[in-house]
Amino acid sequence: FFILDIELTATEDLILLIGEAEPIPLGEFAYSIHITQSGVALSAKDTQSLIHGYFTLLEHIESVEPEKGMGKFRIPCGCIQDKAAIGMRMVHCCVFPETTYEFLEKFIKICGAMKYNYFILEFWGM
């Protein structure tokens, strides 16, 4: 098993460091991710961009030998820089009498992970 020691340090910058990697300048981007053999550096211009960068990082995690059930994972080395092409990314959900609270909760969380920033609930029969 690989054990990762995590140390949290408060800074003025919005940076997530795992291991040893140098953050790359943001420039015009909302967040940047630098993945090396020795670590990951995620930097962002604001809190929402940091969360989006974190979800992008999670999307790049690959399973190694999943058929063996070993539970090993990797992230390919490289640089990822991104910003939203559309400022208002919204989803619309119709809530029917048979719609469960559990469904709504899961749906909203999935939409957040997919980087939607507006969520419209429409209640039918109101």
Side-chain angles (χ1 to χ4, degrees), residues 19 27 30 32 38 41-42 44 54-55 57 68 70-72 75 87 96 99 104 109 123-125:
S32 64
S38 58
L42 164 59
Y54 178 73
F55 280 122
L57 180 63
K68 293 183 180 179
M70 298 297 290
K72 293 183 180 181
I75 306 172
F96 298 99
T99 303
L104 282 177
K109 288 178 181 180
F123 295 92
W124 282 78

Side-chain angles (χ1 to χ4, degrees), residues 82-96:
D82 200 9
K83 66 178 179 179
I86 301 170
M88 186 177 284
R89 300 169 309 280
M90 67 174 65
V91 65
H92 174 263
C93 180
C94 294
V95 180
F96 298 99

Side-chain angles (χ1 to χ4, degrees), residues 33-118:
I33 305 170
H34 186 207
I35 305 162
T36 68
Q37 289 288 336
S38 58
V40 176
L42 164 59
S43 57
K45 69 175 185 174
D46 56 36
T47 305
Q48 185 176 15
S49 298
L50 185 68
I51 293 168
H52 289 170
Y54 178 73
F55 280 122
T56 299
L57 180 63
L58 293 179
E59 290 171 9
H60 285 81
I61 296 174
E62 300 173 350
S63 178
V64 179
E65 299 177 351
E67 63 279 353
K68 293 183 180 179
M70 298 297 290
K72 293 183 180 181
F73 301 94
R74 69 175 175 213
I75 306 172
C77 293
C79 295
I80 302 168
Q81 293 182 300
D82 200 9
K83 66 178 179 179
I86 301 170
M88 186 177 284
R89 300 169 309 280
M90 67 174 65
V91 65
H92 174 263
C93 180
C94 294
V95 180
F96 298 99
E98 61 271 9
T99 303
T100 65
Y101 173 79
E102 290 78 18
F103 169 81
L104 282 177
E105 185 176 31
K106 287 179 185 178
F107 189 66
I108 291 169
K109 288 178 181 180
I110 288 170
C111 289
M114 294 176 66
K115 303 176 188 164
Y116 286 99
N117 57 356
Y118 290 90

Side-chain angles (χ1 to χ4, degrees), residues 6 9 13 28 44 66 113 120:
I6 298 175
T9 305
D13 300 320
E28 68 201 46
I120 299 171

